[in-house]
Each structure stands twice: as C-alpha cells, then as structure tokens.
Amino acid sequence: MSLVFYRKYRPQTFAEVINQKTTIKTLTSALKQGKISHAYLFCGPRGTGKTSVARLMAKALNCQNRKPNEYEPCNKCESCQEINEGHSLDLIEIDAASNRGIDDIRSLKENVKFPPLKSKYKIFIIDEAHQLTKEAFNALLKTLEEPPSYIVFILATTEPEKLPATILSRVERYDFKKLALTDIIGRLKEICEKEKIKYEEEALRLIALYSEGGLRDAESLLGQLALVTNQNITKEAVEGLMGAINLEKIRHFVDLLNKKDKMKAIEFVNKIYDEGYDLDVFNKEVIDYLRKLLLLKISPSLGNILEKEATEEEMSTLFKQAQNWETNTLERLLRKLVEVQWQLKTSPVPTLPLELFLSEELI
Ligand SMILES: Nc1ncnc2c1ncn2[C@@H]1O[C@H](COP(=O)(O)OP(=O)(O)OP(=O)(O)O)[C@@H](O)[C@H]1O
Ligand SMILES: [Mg+2]
Ligand SMILES: [Zn+2]
C-alpha cells in the first residue's frame, strides 16, 4: 500500500493536468510553435501542479520523439525516462529553501556556461524561488538578462509578491489556481478505483473540502486513510483523522499560551485563519481544551468527567500539560476567551479579538 499517491499520480502528460486550462493551453501552443521563453515563473497555491508542469515542460523540451508541431512528451525516449526517474543531467532542480545563498547561485552561474550534455536544452527548475536571498537574486538576474540559447529557467513559488520587480519583469508568468472541489473529488475517485479502495462519497467530499484546493494534500490524506482503514474509507475515519489534526493545532496553541509567546501565538492565529480555519470553531476548541486543564488542576479526580470526551493517550497528555499551569491563569484566560467567542461574531477584522486577547493577557 502506498502512502505516496501524490508522487505515483503525478501527471505525465499535459492532458492529465487538472484545472489549469489557460496555463496549459498557452504553454502547449507555444511548444507547438517552437516559441520557447528562457525564463518562466509558475506561481500559485500549494499542490496545484507547478512542479508537475515544470517537469512536463522539461520533458517536452528535451523529448527525442516530439515532432515540431506536437507538444506532449513521449515518456519513452531516453531523455523522458531519465527525467521521470529523476536522473537527467540536463534537468537541474534546485530547492531554493535550502540553497538560497550567493554561493549556490554562483555555482548555478558556472553551470549555465556549459551547454547541455545530451539534450537540446539545459533546464533549471528553481522551487520555492521566493526564498532566494537578495544577493542570489542579483546574481540570477545577470544570467536572466542574457541567457545562452540552450538555457531555460523555470521558477516556481507560492509567494510571487516576494520576488523582486527586476526578476518579475524578466519572466513569463503563469498563475496556477486552486482546484475545484468537484475536480478533486473526481481525481480521488479515480485513484480509489485504480487502487481498489472502497469509499463513501461523503468521505471523499470531506477530504476534498479539507485540502482547500490543493490536490497534493488531498492525495496524501487519501493515502493515509487508505492505510489506517485497510482500504475502506468511511466518513467516520476521515472525521477521526481530521479531529486528530485539529487536536495537534489546539495543543500547539495552548503551549504557546503557556509559554506566553505573544508573537508566535499571533502568527499562529493568522496562519490558521489564512488556511481557511473558522476562528469561531478554533476558539471554542481552545476553550474546551483549557477547561479540561482547569478541571484537572482543581482535582485529578475530575478526570472522570473528561474520560468520555478524551482517549487514554489524550488524558495522559492533559495531565502532563496541567502541571505547567497555574489555576488562576487558566481561570483568567478562560473568562476572557468566552468574551472573545462573542466578539468573534461581530469583529470588523476577523483575527482582532484573538490578537487583542493575546496582546493583553499574555503577561
Ligand atoms: N493540476 C493538477 N493536476 C493533476 N495532479 C495534480 C495537479 N496539481 C497537483 N497535482 C497532484 O499533486 C502532486 C503535487 O503537485 P505539484 O508538486 O505539482 O504541486 P506544486 O504546485 O508544485 O506544490 P508546492 O507549491 O507545494 O510545491 C502531484 O504529484 C499530483 O499528484
Ligand atoms: Mg512544487
Ligand atoms: Zn520523449
């Protein structure tokens, strides 16, 4: 059983790419006409196909069987196969998150000087491009200004607004969109059929909803669920897994409250809000959690009340966490959070009630 559906089901042809119609149309018709740019920028949310399409471009550009007026890579020739297996010498993939410095770009610049070893083009895919340092951008810029004819850069990023204008003006930009709910569900169904996984319709809908338009998250959730449910994905199983993910979030936030880490806590609230989390629900869950700690603080024997709401493992974490709290702090925070719960319904800025709470109470 495979946990890595998102790798196994990476699109191998342009036709298999879901949703990104305009992008695919423009890229493929340029390929047909042989109009190749030397620098592309693929931007858009996580798991929407940027890296997949970058690799497809690389394959198509270097495919030995592709005729002038075609665009699909054959996936059979030596070049296509080497790219599929991840060891093509003429496709260099750089993760800017871990190679962000000037030295890395210098060696890239050296590399640019040499023509491709076996293929027509030497292609650089720079993932998470927004992570490059300013110096690295400057170095890259010089190469982008006058690239040798055999060089193609493909930058990919989730945060294009962090790229300098000088770079933006030198690339051909494509915006990848979140995938529609029905498309994600459709893809999950296809995978279930191929992998002989049984499923409830509602279960797939929940997975799709939860992954917020990103197919990778949906596919990897599907993989985890197939594994824990022994290939029979029910609505309950999905809810269970999501509950566990939520609980992780709440625990993390409660730890930040305990450490009085205002900054991280405010960042965290904004992050989950951006991820589409309902702050109303989040706050209520935090209240529930702190209440449990308070009860255990008053007396461990009150744990009886909680046992029907929490598993054994959860109870032991709760007992441990309770030791780090003062009863009166819990009382104070809980009283305020109940006020926050009301304020959340009417606040003009959705995150503000929690931010004010953190700013005033974490002292
Ligand atoms: N548009 C799409 N069509 C088909 N499959 C997709 C699409 N987008 C994502 N996927 C699936 O999700 C996986 C990850 O996609 P990919 O690596 O291309 O995303 P990404 O946009 O580069 O994400 P990130 O910003 O996190 O790097 C793919 O292997 C594929 O299984
Ligand atoms: Mg990617
Ligand atoms: Zn080929």
Side-chain angles (χ1 to χ4, degrees), residues 5-11 16-20 44-53 127-128 156-158 176-177 179 187 191 214-217 219:
F5 286 161
Y6 69 86
R7 254 185 262 149
K8 183 167 174 188
Y9 291 96
R10 196 183 278 289
E16 284 174 37
V17 178
I18 303 168
N19 255 111
Q20 315 299 353
R46 288 162 41 77
T48 51
K50 300 181 296 298
T51 304
S52 305
V53 175
D127 243 319
E128 308 291 337
T157 179
T158 47
F176 285 64
K177 308 275 188 293
L179 275 65
R187 182 66 167 168
I191 297 180
L215 192 51
R216 187 211 340 246
D217 287 355
E219 289 174 351

Side-chain angles (χ1 to χ4, degrees), residues 37 147 164:
S37 164

